Amino acid sequence: MLQRDLANATAELGRNNLRFVQRVMRLGVEEQQHLGRQAVALLGDWLTPPAPPVPASASSDWTMWAAWPAELAWGLVRRELACLRGLAEAAIGSQTAFNAGLQEALTDWQTERLRITSGALGDTRLVHGLKDMLDAAAQPPAPAGGAPA
């Protein structure tokens, strides 16, 4: 009887592992797709060349004409920096979403693993005790009370 319960539990643990791996892979694909869409949108705007700003008057003001290439170059640098900042923000947001999903998937996987294992052994106290430990470990640490002496 115990051997059959352990064999069933082993098969169920294998299925649980597969579900976890599938979930993590799906999270990775979703992250890549989301980041790819944002990158295409940002790069599409960046690759479209802007119309070069021509000075308002075609006068003989040589100082205006002398400063024009520097102003044009500075405008292109600002545009490139804005694109890079947008890509960095998109990557950070995408990675944050992936990490949150991964943490949730891992917690679900651990909880299910404990349920299967303790069910096979017939001790539900094990599930509750380990789940409490996992929940406590998932909480961020409390800030230190005071300055070190």
Side-chain angles (χ1 to χ4, degrees):
M1 180 77 164
L2 180 62
Q3 189 173 12
R4 186 177 55 220
D5 288 345
L6 289 176
N8 289 339
T10 301
E12 203 172 340
L13 285 170
R15 287 188 296 273
N16 186 43
N17 290 346
L18 286 175
R19 284 190 300 268
F20 173 71
V21 169
Q22 288 172 336
R23 194 168 168 186
V24 170
M25 290 176 70
R26 187 173 47 250
L27 283 168
V29 168
E30 288 171 359
E31 178 198 14
Q32 288 177 349
Q33 290 173 342
H34 178 71
L35 185 57
R37 283 190 302 270
Q38 289 186 328
V40 166
L42 286 167
L43 290 175
D45 290 344
W46 181 74
L47 291 174
T48 305
V54 178
S57 68
S59 70
S60 60
D61 183 4
W62 289 104
T63 58
M64 176 184 65
W65 285 106
W68 184 63
E71 289 175 15
L72 179 63
W74 178 240
L76 292 174
V77 167
R78 281 195 320 253
R79 188 168 182 243
E80 186 169 332
L81 289 175
C83 180
L84 291 174
R85 180 179 178 182
L87 285 173
E89 288 173 356
I92 290 168
S94 188
Q95 187 64 42
T96 301
F98 174 80
N99 287 343
L102 180 61
Q103 185 174 8
E104 181 182 327
L106 185 58
T107 301
D108 292 348
W109 174 78
Q110 289 171 330
T111 302
E112 184 65 10
R113 182 177 170 99
L114 290 172
R115 185 195 63 77
I116 293 166
T117 304
S118 67
L121 299 175
D123 186 1
T124 57
R125 292 174 296 155
L126 179 64
V127 171
H128 298 297
L130 290 175
K131 177 152 182 14
D132 291 343
M133 285 175 34
L134 288 173
D135 289 343
Q139 297 300 319

